[in-house]
Amino acid sequence: MEIKAFIIFAIVILILFLITINNIMLMAIKQNKLKKSLAIGYMIISILSGIAISSFLIWKFFIS
């Protein structure tokens, strides 16, 4: 039971982290402190990696 609670907690923290990072990137784009292509590329990579990690954890959660 502890492992399932930890997995749910990790998914929630990961989602909040990705939302925060993407908001910081958007603020940096608006202030022209970061190149748009670099920031958008980073945001896409972070979203895709977050989806991959979350789906793996959810899959592991339902298997066990």
Side-chain angles (χ1 to χ4, degrees), residues 8-59:
I8 292 172
F9 177 72
I11 291 170
V12 170
I13 293 298
L14 178 68
I15 291 170
L16 291 175
F17 175 73
L18 290 176
I19 290 171
T20 305
I21 291 295
N22 287 338
N23 284 339
I24 290 170
M25 288 289 181
L26 285 174
M27 295 285 251
I29 289 172
K30 288 179 184 175
Q31 295 176 0
N32 290 327
K33 292 187 177 180
L34 199 62
K35 291 183 179 177
K36 282 187 180 180
S37 60
L38 178 68
I40 291 173
Y42 176 79
M43 289 166 65
I44 291 171
I45 290 172
S46 69
I47 290 169
L48 291 177
S49 65
I51 290 171
I53 294 169
S54 298
S55 63
F56 173 73
L57 289 175
I58 290 170
W59 174 72

